[in-house]
Amino acid sequence: MSKGAWERGEDGYLPRPDLEEPARTHGVTRSWTRRRVGKWINSRPGRSAGAGPRVRTEETGSTAAKYRRVVAAIRQDISEGAFTSGQRLPSVNALSTQYSVSMSTIQRAIAELRSEGVLTRGSDGITVA
């Protein structure tokens, strides 16, 4: 798909190769330098120079990872008083039903909140710090 553009000296679907040489058996081997490909990727529409890969920063929208939405929901429940300081959280199974996600998603959200110090693990289960 890119050959026509390359012959005109332009980038096509892929950038122009830095090196073209005959392959050992048949065809052509094309090579690109990492720097050139990085520059080409960041110059494509919708990308600012040096943007790199897109990162999800949203916590509650439809594009946020499920565990991040659960983290935000648990934080909101804590701030609204549904869970109070020192209170034990319901079981992972109950939380997964409450937030309509899998148990592994709940476990990941709890791990995130524990690493932030919002939740603690004690002998009686997970409690609000």
Side-chain angles (χ1 to χ4, degrees), residues 109-129:
I110 287 172
E112 178 88 10
L113 289 167
R114 282 185 60 206
S115 71
E116 295 173 5
V118 176
L119 301 176
T120 58
R121 182 171 185 87
S123 60
D124 59 340
I126 306 292
T127 58
V128 179

Side-chain angles (χ1 to χ4, degrees), residues 63-114:
T63 61
K66 285 183 184 179
Y67 83 95
R68 290 201 182 275
R69 289 187 294 214
V70 172
V71 166
I74 291 174
R75 276 196 195 114
Q76 183 176 359
D77 287 346
I78 291 170
S79 69
E80 291 175 352
F83 300 126
T84 59
S85 181
Q87 180 183 358
R88 186 173 160 220
L89 254 57
S91 69
V92 171
N93 194 12
L95 288 171
S96 69
T97 302
Q98 180 179 344
Y99 295 111
S100 301
V101 295
S102 69
M103 289 193 295
S104 63
T105 300
I106 294 293
Q107 289 168 340
R108 187 168 179 191
I110 287 172
E112 178 88 10
L113 289 167
R114 282 185 60 206

